[in-house]
Amino acid sequence: MLNKKQIRFCLDVMEEMFPEAECELTHKNPFELVIAVVLSAQCTDALVNKVTKDLFNKYETPEDYLAVSIEELEQDIRSIGLYRNKAKNIRKLCQMLIDEYGGEVPSSKQELEKLAGVGRKTANVVASVAFKEPAIAVDTHVERVSKRLGICKWKDSVLEVEKTLMRKVPKEEWSDTHHRMIFFGRYHCKAKNPNCDECRLLDICREGQKRMRAR
């Protein structure tokens, strides 16, 4: 496991590599972000952005999503995986926003998690990006990078990874670290072909050293 000094080094290197890292889901307001993040489950941000380009022109408010049939909404997001289930969740989410929140997206993580299709990760993303609340959302990239580097244990659950990162990363850096780790995992420490040869963290990365020895 990495010590405090090594973790600091990792965070600094990621900042140098991806100083402009930010949410790549296209949105103009918290409501669009919630919809985009719900659609992004088990799907790439690039595909979501392709779909929401037209979707957000057609649907601007929670009422708009409820004004059409479920079949029409399904067709509008058909190219996205799990589109039927996501269409149902979007309609339920929109109804809850109208009934319980005056049509506005709540800012607290606890209230966000009550919305259909919104889990802990989604709530953290929305709270962080839309409302500037410190949060670390653990997606597949954050989990992979944390475990490969040895910041977290291999056997840790997603929740344990989140809690470990919250404990080991300064609170004021949570949101930035979340985005930088995503970029680091998406564009550098990839799932199948991590760029170990050119990685500045190789000397302290247990997974990288293991892969290099196996060659």
Side-chain angles (χ1 to χ4, degrees), residues 27 35 38 61 68 73 79 87 91 121 125 151 154-155 187-188:
H27 64 283
I35 299 298
V38 168
T61 67
V68 301
L73 179 55
S79 59
R91 284 169 62 88
K121 185 196 80 172
V125 171
I151 298 174
W154 284 115
K155 63 181 179 63
Y187 302 114
H188 180 75

Side-chain angles (χ1 to χ4, degrees), residues 86-100:
K86 290 176 181 179
K88 290 178 185 176
N89 281 332
I90 287 172
R91 284 169 62 88
K92 289 180 183 176
L93 179 155
C94 288
Q95 192 65 62
M96 287 184 69
L97 289 179
I98 294 168
D99 292 344
E100 300 180 32

Side-chain angles (χ1 to χ4, degrees), residues 11-34:
L11 298 180
D12 291 343
V13 167
M14 289 182 201
E15 180 180 6
E16 290 174 19
M17 290 178 68
F18 303 104
E20 305 299 325
E22 60 183 1
C23 178
E24 292 191 297
L25 290 169
T26 303
H27 64 283
K28 298 190 295 290
N29 53 56
F31 177 59
E32 288 189 352
L33 179 60
V34 170

